[in-house]
Amino acid sequence: MVEIKTDASLDAMREAGRVVASALDAAQRAAAVGVSLRELDEAAREVLREAGASSPFLGYRPQFASTPFPAVICASVNDAIVHGIPGDYRLCDGDLVTVDCGATLDGWSGDAAVSFTVGTPRPADVRLIETTRQALEAGIAAAVAGGRMGDISHAVGTVGRTAGYGIMEDYGGHGIGRRMHEDPPVPNEGRPGRGFPLRHGLVLAIEPMFLAGGLDAYNTDADGWTLRTTDGSRAAHSEHTVAITDDGPRILTAL
């Protein structure tokens, strides 16, 4: 079932989104050569704690997972696409890092992700990250009342495919509200003018994930969570929680 939010609910979700944005900012600022992924998680935990927010990631166990997720962020490095578990790995010069974070505040959730490099960036990584960000912007621009879900999906997928990147077929964005994952799904490819109608009060997590090698295939680590490219190429992921409004898209997880 798809829940259409009231304007008051959108304002409440914006407050949850601010916490997400601050947690992502704290994690990114903590990232440096020699810093462990666990330390990035701790930086995000502190933001949630100070805001009085909880984590929809911590303890989350969907059907595909053999164990509950043990952290408040996903930290995915280099060939890890999404769902990386932040552990003792220490960041190296040139690493490409994706941090995905959620927060629940006063019963409402927010979800966002950012990719960045640590130390000396590789030009190919800069292009990949920038293209993923541009795809997110294109998807947000298409998130207008009166449109269709396929407009968002087409906008995202066109940017990725034009750049020659791979796109996982069965992973994409989602509705969000009282729970982190709600209907409707938001595919990263689609046909314009098709799919679920976009209307004022619909809230979506739009999240392009691109694979630099151009293949769509991925593998799952033994931890049951981390998804990796099959060819060892790098991946990037960019995400915002966005409300459809009659005045245009409203980004709820902006800093």
Side-chain angles (χ1 to χ4, degrees):
M1 182 176 130
V2 176
E3 180 185 12
I4 300 300
K5 281 72 175 178
T6 66
D7 289 347
S9 296
L10 296 184
D11 290 341
M13 289 190 70
R14 172 59 176 141
E15 295 310 307
R18 291 183 199 278
V19 177
V20 174
S22 295
L24 284 176
D25 181 61
Q28 185 169 354
R29 284 188 288 107
V33 173
V35 173
S36 72
L37 298 182
R38 197 181 306 277
E39 289 174 272
L40 305 191
D41 184 69
E42 290 170 355
R45 283 178 190 250
E46 181 60 25
V47 171
L48 268 61
R49 189 160 40 244
E50 291 182 356
S54 61
S55 169
F57 287 23
L58 184 63
Y60 181 58
R61 188 177 180 182
Q63 290 184 344
F64 68 78
S66 58
T67 58
F69 196 76
V72 305
I73 65 169
C74 298
S76 307
V77 180
N78 296 334
D79 64 330
I81 309 162
V82 287
H83 302 165
I85 296 175
D88 294 329
Y89 175 82
R90 294 191 176 276
L91 295 169
C92 300
D93 185 54
D95 276 348
L96 192 166
V97 184
T98 295
V99 177
D100 190 352
C101 184
T104 301
L105 182 68
D106 297 328
W108 294 100
S109 297
D111 186 11
V114 62
S115 290
F116 55 89
T117 56
V118 174
T120 308
R122 298 183 182 184
D125 290 347
V126 173
R127 176 177 177 264
L128 174 62
I129 292 169
E130 178 62 16
T131 303
T132 309
R133 185 187 63 79
Q134 290 173 356
L136 176 59
E137 292 179 350
I140 293 172
V144 296
R148 295 276 182 167
M149 188 67 72
D151 301 337
I152 298 174
S153 302
H154 179 73
V156 169
T158 297
V159 173
R161 293 300 187 190
T162 299
Y165 296 139
I167 300 174
M168 294 188 294
E169 180 180 358
D170 47 355
Y171 280 88
H174 49 89
I176 183 170
R178 300 178 193 276
R179 293 176 291 112
M180 178 173 62
H181 289 145
E182 297 183 351
D183 288 331
V186 186
N188 282 329
E189 287 192 284
R191 298 177 63 182
R194 302 292 185 90
F196 193 86
L198 307 179
R199 54 175 289 197
H200 182 94
L202 179 65
V203 184
L204 307 171
I206 303 172
E207 47 180 323
M209 310 167 206
F210 293 159
L211 288 58
L215 301 178
D216 299 347
Y218 61 90
N219 294 322
T220 305
D221 275 6
D223 63 22
W225 281 99
T226 309
L227 306 184
R228 295 187 186 275
T229 61
T230 58
D231 58 2
S233 65
R234 296 189 169 196
H237 173 200
S238 190
E239 177 183 14
H240 270 308
T241 296
V242 181
I244 311 295
T245 81
D246 291 333
D247 296 322
R250 180 183 180 189
I251 302 174
L252 302 180
T253 45
L255 186 62

